[in-house]
Amino acid sequence: MRKGIFALAAVGLLATSSVAACGDDSGSDSSGGGTGSNASAGKVGIILPDTKSSQRWGTDDPKFLKAAFDAAGVPVEIQNAQGDKTQFQTIADGMISSGVKVLMIVNLDSGTGKAVLEKAKKAGIATIDYDRLTLSGGADYYVSFDNVKVGELQGQGLVDCLTEKKYTKPVVAELNGSPTDNNATLFAQGYDSVLNPKYADGTYAKGPNQPVPDWDNAQAGTIFEQMLTSNKNIKGVLAANDGLGNAVISVLKKNKLNGQVPVTGQDATVQGLQNILAGDQCMTVYKAIKKEADAASELAIALAKQQKPTTATGTTKDPESGKDVPSVLLDPESITKDTVKKVIDDGFVTKDAVCTADFAKACTDAGIS
């Protein structure tokens, strides 16, 4: 896991969770080091969702976001709701009351996110949906990856791995992301566009298909264990991210099926990459989080300085409201054993984190030196 210090701090009676990135023990407030016009920039508030569903929310995003705002000399407050919807709203209320000029959120669900965005807009605060679109939320901007493409890469990755296994009419199980996360819907749209034709023509048999509430990895393990118990012939698993994929792999290991049943993932986590090197995971999807954080920061910094952003050149249609949201959508990339090295070379994860003693030989075999 990449270096990054994540601290929880109870703030008075509100007990909000403050994420201090990059070893900033004084808290998540950052006044930046800028001078001149930068000094007059308004403060930016950022609310991240949790630290359980993916390592990125506890380490990567706060680190990259804080670095971008510090470099621009723009004050920023980064907090994490720790999966608690009430806390999410409490944090937002505090940021709005403190006079932030821009509010960037990763919603826990669209209902909570919408309520927060509406309060911010009433207060004249510019709003950004980060990574997840808040349905009917009316955010001014949206920054994410092309999430349908993420799913397409997962679906094609599973097809490639099943083809390599030379299975005949394999049963494929799908372990989808949280039903309250619009991204999970988009991922499924992408991988189902690849898999559904295979089911329709009889190349594959459609097995159990179930969402995982809140992307909870423990629940994912329980769900997949039930899937495997009811259908011993599962030969492939479309798992929507690396955490869910690892939960699947843990169950497969107990049944001595790991390596025999291809499993997908997403996020290029250290654990996911190690599972790929070990031959237990088929692929993952690499989303260069620094690029996403930098794109969102660039938008927020312009808004904080009361400038018109120029980077949101695309649009995303909100499927509920029908409105087009000005957007920055970045390209994801499929990663297999042959390309794990790229993720390390990019500095997204370190060789030391991935190539521990248990994976040293696999790293060497993969050309990671």
Side-chain angles (χ1 to χ4, degrees), residues 18-217:
S18 177
V19 175
C22 303
D24 181 4
D25 294 330
S26 63
S28 60
D29 264 343
S30 172
S31 60
T35 56
S37 62
N38 284 350
S40 63
K43 185 178 180 180
V44 176
I46 301 174
I47 311 176
L48 301 177
D50 60 70
T51 53
K52 290 176 65 177
S53 64
S54 177
Q55 73 174 37
R56 65 174 292 186
W57 304 125
T59 56
D60 306 321
D61 292 85
K63 175 178 66 178
F64 294 135
L65 289 165
K66 185 175 183 298
F69 285 101
D70 282 356
V74 173
V76 63
E77 179 182 353
I78 304 172
Q79 296 201 48
N80 193 301
Q82 294 301 327
D84 186 320
K85 296 174 187 177
T86 300
Q87 189 159 301
F88 189 96
Q89 293 177 311
T90 300
I91 292 170
D93 288 344
M95 288 181 173
I96 292 168
S97 297
S98 74
V100 297
K101 298 302 180 185
V102 183
L103 183 65
M104 183 191 306
I105 70 167
V106 185
N107 70 58
L108 287 170
D109 64 15
S110 285
T112 309
K114 180 181 179 182
V116 163
L117 292 173
E118 286 178 347
K119 283 184 182 179
K121 291 176 84 68
K122 284 180 182 177
I125 297 169
T127 55
I128 300 171
D129 268 334
Y130 181 54
D131 197 68
R132 300 173 183 170
L133 181 67
T134 302
L135 302 184
S136 295
D140 296 312
Y141 296 95
Y142 172 51
V143 179
S144 190
F145 286 85
D146 184 335
N147 292 310
V148 173
K149 185 173 181 180
V150 169
E152 290 171 352
L153 292 175
Q154 291 175 313
Q156 188 56 52
L158 186 60
V159 168
D160 292 344
C161 291
L162 287 170
T163 300
E164 185 179 338
K165 293 289 186 184
K166 299 181 180 178
Y167 289 143
T168 302
K169 200 170 184 178
V171 176
V172 174
E174 296 184 22
L175 208 59
N176 310 302
S178 174
T180 60
D181 180 358
N182 186 59
N183 281 1
T185 301
L186 298 175
F187 302 148
Q189 180 182 327
Y191 53 71
D192 283 341
S193 72
V194 176
L195 297 177
N196 282 346
K198 300 288 187 182
Y199 301 142
D201 68 14
T203 303
Y204 298 164
K206 185 166 186 174
N209 183 323
Q210 195 169 332
V212 178
D214 301 322
W215 293 93
D216 186 274
N217 297 333

Side-chain angles (χ1 to χ4, degrees), residues 297-322:
S297 299
E298 187 174 352
L299 269 179
I301 288 163
L303 293 167
K305 294 179 178 180
Q306 298 185 345
Q307 299 170 353
K308 183 174 176 58
T310 59
T311 55
T313 55
T315 60
T316 299
K317 185 172 289 295
D318 184 324
E320 283 194 2
S321 70

Side-chain angles (χ1 to χ4, degrees), residues 255-301:
N255 290 272
K256 296 182 170 48
L257 292 171
N258 57 304
Q260 299 176 46
V261 178
V263 180
T264 65
Q266 176 188 173
D267 290 335
T269 63
V270 168
Q271 187 177 65
L273 296 173
Q274 289 176 334
N275 282 336
I276 290 172
L277 290 170
D280 293 333
Q281 184 169 320
C282 166
M283 56 81 69
T284 189
V285 178
Y286 172 39
K287 300 185 297 186
I289 293 171
K290 185 179 187 303
K291 292 181 180 178
E292 184 182 20
D294 286 348
S297 299
E298 187 174 352
L299 269 179
I301 288 163

